[in-house]
Amino acid sequence: MTHLIDSKMMDDYREYMRREEYSEGTVQKYLRDIRAFATWKAECENGGDAMPAGNVVADKEAAAGWKAYLVEEGYAPVTINAMLSSLNSFFSFQGWEECKVKFLKIQRRTFRDQDRELTRAEYKRLLECAGKLDNLRLVLLMETICGTGIRVSEVKYITVEAIKSGRADISLKGKIRTILLPGKLCKKLRDYAKKRKIRSGEIFVTRTGKSLCRRQIWGEMKKLCEKAGVNSSKVFPHNLRHLFARTFYGLSRDIVKLADVLGHSSIETTRIYLISTAKTHARQMERLRLIS
């Protein structure tokens, strides 16, 4: 069975995701992946000339063809599965279950790439660099994400009211979880809010009082890399969350509690955060002393 993708469907799907409280970053990512599929399909139908998504026919064969194309183009398996997840989600929303395709099977990795893991020492250098640049907002923003484990999309819940109570209630996808804010962090944020004359609402805002967007936070962090002597591949907001997770687990050894703190519905997701680097994995293998 074939179906036609048109602009109204995309608009309806966008509104659905927002009603379901998907983060804006997720909404844009899903729509971007669906448009990528539509563009690829249109180019296939017109010998390389793309045409509007409204003229694109979707079916199981097309979805499978796009999957094969992504593999041939050399996309990473995890990236391909993420893109397929976006497309399958759209198909489910439309009721086109027969169009969905299976994900690539990926063996779980036992270690992560060294050049992707931010260390505590590198984190400290980033903070020092931001301080020297007199960017106090960025210093506190990084400390807030790394000190609580929140997502960058959850920064908006760090408010004057939250630091007064020492806790932030975070609402995401219909779920509410409470994050405890360290006393030392609360004091720093109170002083910052007082200095910036922020009397209520969000702490981390632009000069005009608007919320900081993900791209702006990401951009400000990237600017620190060269001066801080940290590989740019390690510097992005979500890696601060990973550093929090590894540090928290190192002290508590309680993955269930960590999953609750991070807001994960599945412990399997939390396990990904705790994968060691190849270097650490190699040291563990050496300690087995099974080679004479």
Side-chain angles (χ1 to χ4, degrees):
M1 183 179 295
T2 59
H3 305 277
L4 189 69
I5 298 179
D6 59 37
S7 59
K8 185 179 184 304
M9 290 177 180
M10 297 287 284
D11 291 339
D12 289 344
Y13 185 54
R14 178 190 292 109
E15 291 308 310
Y16 160 76
M17 287 191 287
R18 286 175 175 164
R19 286 198 306 272
E20 291 295 310
E21 299 183 11
Y22 284 61
S23 72
E24 190 58 29
T26 299
V27 171
Q28 295 306 319
K29 192 268 181 193
Y30 275 36
L31 293 176
R32 185 167 59 249
D33 290 342
I34 297 164
R35 291 192 191 100
F37 163 75
T39 299
W40 170 82
K41 184 63 165 57
E43 290 175 345
C44 289
E45 293 174 349
N46 291 273
D49 296 323
M51 61 182 183
N55 296 324
V56 170
V57 173
D59 54 22
K60 179 67 173 282
E61 183 179 355
W66 188 52
K67 174 182 174 181
Y69 163 78
L70 295 175
V71 172
E72 292 173 2
E73 287 296 302
Y75 283 75
V78 66
T79 300
I80 294 174
N81 283 348
M83 296 174 79
L84 293 178
S85 178
S86 302
L87 189 62
N88 283 345
S89 178
F90 175 70
F91 287 159
S92 291
F93 172 72
Q94 299 297 339
W96 304 344
E97 297 294 332
E98 74 280 3
C99 293
K100 294 167 65 175
V101 290
K102 294 182 179 179
F103 297 126
L104 295 176
K105 293 183 178 179
I106 306 174
Q107 182 177 349
R108 180 186 294 170
R109 296 187 63 176
T110 57
F111 56 87
R112 73 168 72 246
D113 294 333
Q114 186 76 27
D115 61 358
R116 293 285 290 177
E117 182 172 295
L118 184 70
T119 66
R120 181 190 289 265
E122 290 167 332
Y123 163 64
K124 292 294 185 182
R125 293 210 301 274
L126 291 173
L127 293 178
E128 290 172 4
C129 183
K132 290 178 181 178
L133 294 174
D134 200 28
N135 193 340
L136 180 58
R137 185 183 66 186
L138 182 56
V139 171
L140 294 176
L141 182 57
M142 290 192 292
E143 287 189 322
T144 298
I145 295 175
C146 199
T148 63
I150 61 174
R151 301 175 177 88
V152 67
S153 61
E154 297 170 340
V155 167
K156 62 184 177 182
Y157 293 102
I158 306 302
T159 63
V160 171
E161 293 75 18
I163 61 176
K164 285 180 180 178
S165 64
R167 60 182 61 198
D169 293 322
I170 294 176
S171 175
L172 186 66
K173 296 183 182 180
K175 300 177 183 177
I176 297 177
R177 78 182 194 281
T178 299
I179 293 295
L180 298 180
L181 305 176
K184 191 174 181 180
L185 176 64
C186 286
K187 183 181 184 307
K188 285 187 172 185
L189 293 177
R190 278 197 299 270
D191 292 343
Y192 174 79
K194 183 177 180 180
K195 181 178 180 181
R196 296 300 175 91
K197 297 181 180 180
I198 302 173
R199 296 181 176 84
S200 65
E202 296 178 44
I203 297 291
F204 299 108
V205 293
T206 64
R207 292 180 180 178
T208 58
K210 295 182 179 180
S211 301
L212 289 177
C213 68
R214 181 192 305 266
R215 182 176 298 178
Q216 184 174 354
I217 296 171
W218 183 88
E220 288 191 16
M221 288 181 63
K222 288 293 184 182
K223 289 179 181 179
L224 302 176
C225 297
E226 185 175 351
K227 291 184 179 180
V230 181
N231 191 321
S232 62
S233 65
K234 299 182 177 186
V235 182
F236 49 93
H238 201 70
N239 237 8
L240 297 175
R241 183 167 151 89
H242 276 262
L243 178 55
F244 167 85
R246 296 196 307 274
T247 306
F248 184 99
Y249 183 74
L251 291 173
S252 70
R253 293 293 169 179
D254 188 338
I255 194 172
V256 176
K257 186 173 183 179
L258 175 58
D260 289 339
V261 172
L262 294 175
H264 290 159
S265 56
S266 169
I267 289 180
E268 290 306 307
T269 302
T270 312
R271 290 184 191 279
I272 296 174
Y273 283 58
L274 303 178
I275 296 175
S276 62
T277 65
K279 186 175 181 180
T280 301
H281 182 72
R283 284 201 302 266
Q284 293 170 339
M285 297 294 287
E286 291 293 338
R287 284 201 294 268
L288 294 178
R289 296 181 180 178
L290 294 174
I291 308 299
S292 60

